[in-house]
Structure formats: C-alpha cells, structure tokens
Amino acid sequence: MSMTKRTAPRQSYMVIAISAFALNAGFGVAYGSQSRQKSSDLWTAQGYAQAAVHAGTVTKAHADLQRTLNCLVGTSGNGYDKTVHDRCSTDGILPEFPRSTKTHIEAQKAAQIVEVGLSASDLGMVHRTAGAVLGLLHGKGVKGEYD
C-alpha cells in the first residue's frame, strides 16, 4: 500500500515527538531537577524550530526562530529579544554548558544558523535554516549533557 501525503507527515511528527519525549525523560532521570530545566529548554527550542520549519509565512517563521534563539542564549545572551514571548527558562541552553563542551559548541552553531534564518526574506531559505537548526538540536549535535 502506498502512503498518502496526509499520513506521512503525521508519522514524521510522531517519530519526532516520541524521540523528543524519550530524550527529555532520559535527561530528567540521569541529571536531576536542574537538568530537567535544561532538557525542557532543549525540548522547547526543538518545538520552536519545528514550528519554523512548517510556518506558512516569513513573519511566523521568524517569530519561531527568534523563540528558538531566546531558548538557546537566555535573557542575557546575544540576540535575545524580550518582545517575542517564549516558554524557556531565563538561563538558556548556551550559558548552562562550559564553552569547551560539544553541547555548547553545537548550540552556538545552532544560534548562528538561527541568525541567518532571521535575516532571510525568502520563506524557503527560512525553512531550510530552521531545518538545519532542528537537526542540530534534535540530531547528533546538542545532547543536553556534559561531554
């Protein structure tokens, strides 16, 4: 049987949701309550990046990318925008990890890619940069643990 266009994306969302849940649950058990906040910020940043990938307008995609950046850098970080409301802690992901760790380095790369997406005016380009950020946050890059 062939999949319809409508079924395939739902399955992709389900795989992402299950993976993100497993990732978040694992951090909470392994690293305690402080890391639950870190993993929550990571999960939230992933959600915002995912929303940017599927946004229908540049304005909406930019807002979701800004929320992603806010989660990465925290309220005192470079590029934080207090006018764009998000559900991340005030600390952010980047300040939580020493600069020499893989997590910090990959999160920094994600923040730089977000900046590219925020400066793009073409929706396709914004979607591609959001996808790259999502790949770094969800894939092999940012793991939410000390390296």
Side-chain angles (χ1 to χ4, degrees), residues 9 11 13-14 18 25 29 33-34 37 47-49 54 67 77 81 83-84 87 89 98 110 115 125 131 134 142 144:
Q11 289 175 344
Y13 295 141
M14 183 62 74
I18 290 170
V29 170
S33 64
Q34 183 181 10
Q37 185 61 51
Y48 288 137
H54 296 286
R67 289 180 182 98
D81 184 350
T83 65
V84 178
R87 292 184 306 238
S89 75
E115 294 286 353
M125 181 63 172
L134 182 61
V142 177

Side-chain angles (χ1 to χ4, degrees), residues 58 62 65 112-121 125-126 129-130:
V58 171
H62 280 170
L65 279 178
Q112 291 169 346
I113 294 170
V114 167
E115 294 286 353
V116 171
L118 288 172
S119 67
S121 59
M125 181 63 172
V126 177
T129 58

Side-chain angles (χ1 to χ4, degrees), residues 68-86:
T68 304
L69 184 63
N70 285 357
C71 292
L72 288 168
V73 301
T75 56
S76 60
N78 190 25
Y80 182 84
D81 184 350
K82 67 181 179 182
T83 65
V84 178
H85 301 286
D86 59 71

Side-chain angles (χ1 to χ4, degrees), residues 45-56 60-61 64-65 68 127 130 134:
Q46 289 171 349
Y48 288 137
Q50 179 73 26
V53 167
H54 296 286
K60 173 70 171 116
D64 289 324
L65 279 178
T68 304
H127 283 165
L134 182 61

